[in-house]
Amino acid sequence: MRLTILGIIMLMVLFMTSGVNSFVGITWGRMQTQQLNPAMVVDLLLQNKIPSLRLMTSGYDIIEVFAATNISISVTMGNSFMYPAKRKDLAYNWVNERIKSPINKGVNIVELTIGSEPFSNTFLKKVSNYEVVNVLKLMRESLDAMDLGYVKTTTAHGMDVLKVSKFPSEADFRDDIKKEMLESLAEFNRTGAPFVLILFPIHFVKEILKYPMEFAFFDNNSGFTIEDGNVTYTNAVELMIDFVAWAIKKAGYPNMKIRIAQIGWPTDGYLHANVQNAERFHRELLKFIVSQKGTPLKPGPMDIYLHSLCDENNFATMFGTFQRHWGIYRADGHPKYKIDFSLQGHDKYPTQAKGIVKMPNRWCIYNGDKSNLELVHKNYELACQAADCTRLEQGGSCDGLNFDSNMSYAWNAFFQKNKQQVKACDFDGLGRIVATNPSEKNCEFPIEILSYQDQTVQNGMKLRI
């Protein structure tokens, strides 16, 4: 049978849209001093046509706002919750309260991630939890008992579950967690769940592989490649996925689906972490996803969650200060760079969050008194221990400020975090409040937004969020 050009195009469209259930979603962590109103987040997702959201918590206090939106939600049981969930009755109660109840109210929860990198020996090594497999099984049992078999249960792992090796074909799981990883894979295979992978190419290329940073980009301009047998890798993302794919294949599950739970590019606090590189990385990453070509070992469509919706100035920085600057949006709901969530390749900024309420145009700065520098430094340390000074780090956008501006940035960060309270700009008499913006060049002295918690009460009346 001869096909017309139109017929061929229709078949191609059908192939690309049928049966693959592939998507590009986004993650949302809520480790901000002043958090976005959840209703604004819903609006951002709908306006930008983002179909899936991965909550980095269970979101039990705000999840009902997603009811009737048809946004697919993946919720997370953090490592700290796994200890009480080791009992069958407590696991059942957790699922009933945080999964079944929201679903009954119209929230489209499709996945539960148990733990966040529970076997990490780098990023989260202090909170390793070897009970994750038992908890995974208990949660699966609880979901099935409530007729929620369609809600997948899995675990998110980073690249450090693997032994360090040069080529993907040499990859295998670390010896100290091999037993637990094999048990996890067997459970994923039994339930049809994907292997959920966390990828941070900027860190993996610089700190682990120690390759040229260009290798982290899909449009690698360096000419640097990795040859593994008859396969040539031109970028780190495909290389990293195939590292994991090889380890899973060796464990006996060559057809197991790999889902990318977090992938992105930070914009501050690290060498090469800037807006230009973030825009470039995401532009080419989305082209790769749209192509549906996959990797040499895992060809075909791939699901990903971009990391992340907005910056988190309260996130722990044990792994690097850039962890607070993953956001495609600033903490105030303004997009940092162009990205087309519709996957059409448009050169445009995503929509801006609507209804943002900023605190007044007031900043706290250092008054310049150097009569007691020991006291100045003491207050600087105290301010930065409590507030976010990561932009002052080497490679950050505020790296290179003079002494007075450095102190002022710290003073202001603390002042804003404390909702511009006058006493939060005292610093033993070293601070003063000004109405003139002290920002310099590429270094912004931010004013924080009025948090959604504060916006829920206005004129003595509770607002709906």
Side-chain angles (χ1 to χ4, degrees), residues 168-436:
S169 59
E170 297 174 348
D172 204 348
F173 296 111
R174 294 189 343 245
D175 292 335
D176 61 312
I177 58 167
K178 187 74 170 285
K179 175 177 176 289
E180 289 78 11
M181 290 304 300
L182 292 178
E183 289 177 351
S184 297
L185 291 173
E187 180 67 5
F188 300 157
N189 185 64
R190 182 184 74 83
T191 63
F195 185 95
V196 173
L197 178 61
I198 295 172
L199 296 181
F200 296 143
I202 186 173
H203 178 265
F204 196 70
V205 169
K206 184 177 184 296
E207 306 294 344
I208 307 302
L209 300 177
K210 302 187 186 304
Y211 291 160
M213 187 52 65
E214 276 292 314
F215 189 64
F217 296 94
F218 284 90
D219 56 343
N220 173 10
N221 293 321
S222 69
F224 179 87
T225 61
I226 293 295
E227 305 286 338
D228 187 8
N230 61 353
V231 176
T232 300
Y233 292 94
T234 61
N235 65 84
V237 174
E238 292 183 72
L239 182 80
M240 295 165 77
I241 293 170
D242 276 5
F243 264 115
V244 174
W246 267 106
I248 295 173
K249 180 179 180 180
K250 290 175 182 177
Y253 306 103
N255 298 319
M256 181 171 288
K257 184 179 181 68
I258 295 177
R259 176 172 296 157
I260 310 304
Q262 292 172 242
I263 184 170
W265 197 276
T267 57
D268 216 328
Y270 198 66
L271 193 64
H272 305 293
N274 55 56
V275 166
Q276 293 75 22
N277 281 343
E279 181 174 307
R280 174 189 174 192
F281 177 80
H282 284 98
R283 181 180 63 248
E284 300 305 318
L285 169 65
L286 294 183
K287 286 181 182 178
F288 168 74
I289 295 302
V290 168
S291 76
Q292 302 198 50
K293 76 182 186 70
T295 72
L297 196 60
K298 300 294 287 185
M302 187 164 293
D303 300 337
I304 66 167
Y305 288 97
L306 303 178
H307 186 69
S308 63
L309 184 68
C310 54
D311 286 345
E312 299 180 79
N313 64 355
N314 268 346
F315 199 90
T317 59
M318 67 185 87
F319 197 49
T321 58
F322 62 94
Q323 287 180 264
R324 293 183 174 177
H325 303 283
W326 285 107
I328 294 172
Y329 285 84
R330 299 202 304 258
D332 63 2
H334 284 73
K336 298 180 188 175
Y337 48 85
K338 295 176 181 177
I339 181 171
D340 182 14
F341 293 114
S342 74
L343 308 182
Q344 301 300 307
H346 299 309
D347 185 35
K348 66 178 184 179
Y349 286 91
T351 61
Q352 182 175 315
K354 298 178 178 62
I356 291 293
V357 180
K358 276 199 170 187
M359 289 190 281
N361 284 339
R362 298 192 304 170
W363 295 263
C364 176
I365 64 171
Y366 169 48
N367 64 13
D369 183 356
K370 297 181 175 63
S371 59
N372 187 343
L373 286 177
E374 183 178 346
L375 187 63
V376 175
H377 285 290
K378 175 186 174 183
N379 277 282
Y380 173 82
E381 294 297 332
L382 290 173
C384 287
Q385 285 172 11
D388 179 26
C389 295
T390 56
R391 289 180 178 175
L392 299 172
E393 300 285 340
Q394 183 177 4
S397 60
C398 297
D399 180 19
L401 294 179
N402 63 32
F403 182 85
D404 285 18
S405 294
N406 221 53
M407 298 303 114
S408 291
Y409 187 94
W411 273 215
N412 186 63
F414 183 86
F415 177 63
Q416 301 296 338
K417 179 174 182 177
N418 288 280
K419 302 178 183 179
Q420 298 188 353
Q421 298 176 42
V422 173
K423 63 181 181 181
C425 188
D426 181 48
F427 297 106
D428 292 315
L430 294 168
R432 64 188 178 95
I433 297 172
V434 298
T436 303

Side-chain angles (χ1 to χ4, degrees), residues 26-307:
I26 199 164
T27 68
W28 180 31
R30 300 171 63 218
M31 299 292 288
Q32 298 99 1
T33 305
Q34 275 79 42
Q35 298 173 7
L36 288 175
N37 186 319
M40 295 176 186
V41 172
V42 171
D43 184 60
L44 277 178
L45 299 180
L46 294 176
Q47 291 295 322
N48 287 297
K49 296 181 173 57
I50 300 173
S52 302
L53 176 69
R54 182 170 183 253
L55 277 172
M56 306 305 284
T57 66
S58 66
Y60 69 96
D61 57 332
I62 52 92
I63 197 164
E64 289 180 22
V65 77
F66 294 95
T69 64
N70 206 35
I71 296 170
S72 298
I73 306 290
S74 173
V75 299
T76 303
M77 169 183 268
N79 294 333
S80 60
F81 282 100
M82 281 195 271
Y83 292 100
K86 287 189 290 185
R87 272 175 38 191
K88 185 174 181 178
D89 58 331
L90 295 178
Y92 189 94
N93 288 340
W94 196 97
V95 169
N96 186 56
E97 177 185 348
R98 307 203 181 195
I99 304 294
K100 184 176 182 179
S101 178
I103 287 176
N104 287 342
K105 294 173 182 177
V107 182
N108 185 25
I109 298 176
V110 298
E111 185 176 78
L112 169 60
T113 302
I114 314 296
S116 179
E117 302 185 62
F119 303 144
S120 175
N121 64 357
T122 53
F123 178 28
L124 295 171
K125 59 184 176 182
K126 293 183 180 179
V127 293
S128 294
N129 192 324
Y130 291 86
E131 293 292 332
V132 64
V133 181
N134 292 332
V135 176
L136 180 71
K137 292 177 179 178
L138 273 177
M139 302 309 277
R140 179 71 269 157
E141 183 180 336
S142 299
L143 285 164
D144 290 341
M146 297 182 201
D147 296 322
L148 298 174
Y150 63 88
V151 178
K152 298 296 184 183
T153 48
T154 186
T155 304
H157 293 294
M159 292 296 294
D160 60 359
V161 295
L162 303 177
K163 298 177 183 178
V164 176
S165 56
K166 187 174 182 180
F167 303 111
S169 59
E170 297 174 348
D172 204 348
F173 296 111
R174 294 189 343 245
D175 292 335
D176 61 312
I177 58 167
K178 187 74 170 285
K179 175 177 176 289
E180 289 78 11
M181 290 304 300
L182 292 178
E183 289 177 351
S184 297
L185 291 173
E187 180 67 5
F188 300 157
N189 185 64
R190 182 184 74 83
T191 63
F195 185 95
V196 173
L197 178 61
I198 295 172
L199 296 181
F200 296 143
I202 186 173
H203 178 265
F204 196 70
V205 169
K206 184 177 184 296
E207 306 294 344
I208 307 302
L209 300 177
K210 302 187 186 304
Y211 291 160
M213 187 52 65
E214 276 292 314
F215 189 64
F217 296 94
F218 284 90
D219 56 343
N220 173 10
N221 293 321
S222 69
F224 179 87
T225 61
I226 293 295
E227 305 286 338
D228 187 8
N230 61 353
V231 176
T232 300
Y233 292 94
T234 61
N235 65 84
V237 174
E238 292 183 72
L239 182 80
M240 295 165 77
I241 293 170
D242 276 5
F243 264 115
V244 174
W246 267 106
I248 295 173
K249 180 179 180 180
K250 290 175 182 177
Y253 306 103
N255 298 319
M256 181 171 288
K257 184 179 181 68
I258 295 177
R259 176 172 296 157
I260 310 304
Q262 292 172 242
I263 184 170
W265 197 276
T267 57
D268 216 328
Y270 198 66
L271 193 64
H272 305 293
N274 55 56
V275 166
Q276 293 75 22
N277 281 343
E279 181 174 307
R280 174 189 174 192
F281 177 80
H282 284 98
R283 181 180 63 248
E284 300 305 318
L285 169 65
L286 294 183
K287 286 181 182 178
F288 168 74
I289 295 302
V290 168
S291 76
Q292 302 198 50
K293 76 182 186 70
T295 72
L297 196 60
K298 300 294 287 185
M302 187 164 293
D303 300 337
I304 66 167
Y305 288 97
L306 303 178
H307 186 69

